[in-house]
């Protein structure tokens, strides 16, 4: 899981999108598990798409990820926007999405996504045959392990 923020004061849209593309390239090349990225991307997905927003959406498509929030995330007296996103690479594992009101601490509401957990299987070692375990362990191809 990662959190991103696009500050319009720090990077231009184009420069931020270049870095976003680099991050997504790295993640997809080095990770084959569940990808969860959230944050204030400052691309309003409700309005007419301008060139930076079209590039952002194209990058999501290129990396086979999807933005799953469809509710407003920032409401002011002058605007109603969906600029806080939650990006996932496996929408089938997402069980619920929404926005949590944070008016007491921020002018943005918080997007969330619930997903199916991975299960960790534990073994009961009460009746372990230690000799059989050591024999199995000794047979492992440790020459294939790179440290």
């Amino acid at each position: 899981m990662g959190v991103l923020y696009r500050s319009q004061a720090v990077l231009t849209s184009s420069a931020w999108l270049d870095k976003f593309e680099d991050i997504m390239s790295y993640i997809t090349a080095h990770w084959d598990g569940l990808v969860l990225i959230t944050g204030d991307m400052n691309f309003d997905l409700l309005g007419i798409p301008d060139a930076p927003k079209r590039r952002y959406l194209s990058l999501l498509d290129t990396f086979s990820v999807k933005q799953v929030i469809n509710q407003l995330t920032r409401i002011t007296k002058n605007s109603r926007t969906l600029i806080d996103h939650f990006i996932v690479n496996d929408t089938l594992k997402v069980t619920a999405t929404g926005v949590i009101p944070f008016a007491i601490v921020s002018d943005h509401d918080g997007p969330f996504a619930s997903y199916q957990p991975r299960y960790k299987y534990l073994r009961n070692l009460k009746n372990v045959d230690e000799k059989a375990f050591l024999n199995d362990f000794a047979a492992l191809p440790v020459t294939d392990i790179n440290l």
Side-chain angles (χ1 to χ4, degrees):
M1 176 167 198
V3 178
L4 298 177
Y5 172 63
R6 181 175 77 91
S7 170
Q8 296 166 329
V10 175
L11 290 174
T12 65
S13 294
S14 180
W16 189 89
L17 287 165
D18 289 342
K19 293 187 179 299
F20 179 70
E21 183 173 9
D22 292 344
I23 290 167
M24 293 305 296
S25 294
Y26 183 86
I27 290 170
T28 56
H30 294 89
W31 178 251
D32 65 352
L34 186 61
V35 173
L36 306 167
I37 300 171
T38 189
D40 179 356
M41 308 305 180
N42 270 311
F43 291 113
D44 182 13
L45 298 184
L46 299 178
I48 298 169
D50 58 6
K53 188 190 317 183
R54 283 193 303 273
R55 182 171 173 213
Y56 173 70
L57 294 171
S58 176
L59 287 171
L60 296 181
D61 189 50
T62 297
F63 292 107
S64 299
V65 295
K66 183 169 175 142
Q67 195 291 120
V68 295
I69 300 300
N70 57 16
Q71 295 172 258
L72 298 172
T73 60
R74 186 166 189 254
I75 300 172
T76 69
K77 43 184 185 175
N78 300 321
S79 67
R80 300 166 61 83
T81 57
L82 196 171
I83 58 175
D84 303 281
H85 305 166
F86 207 110
I87 299 165
V88 301
N89 66 339
D90 189 348
T91 57
L92 295 177
K93 290 187 178 176
V94 175
T95 58
T97 63
V99 176
I100 301 169
F102 284 150
I104 197 165
V105 294
S106 175
D107 62 346
H108 293 249
D109 292 331
F112 74 88
S114 300
Y115 60 95
Q116 292 174 339
R118 285 186 357 190
Y119 293 96
K120 183 175 183 179
Y121 295 97
L122 302 175
R123 296 182 185 158
N124 182 347
L125 301 177
K126 200 185 262 188
N127 299 316
V128 169
D129 180 342
E130 190 174 328
K131 188 171 183 165
F133 173 79
L134 291 173
N135 285 338
D136 287 345
F137 190 80
L140 290 173
V142 294
T143 57
D144 294 341
I145 298 173
N146 296 318
L147 298 176

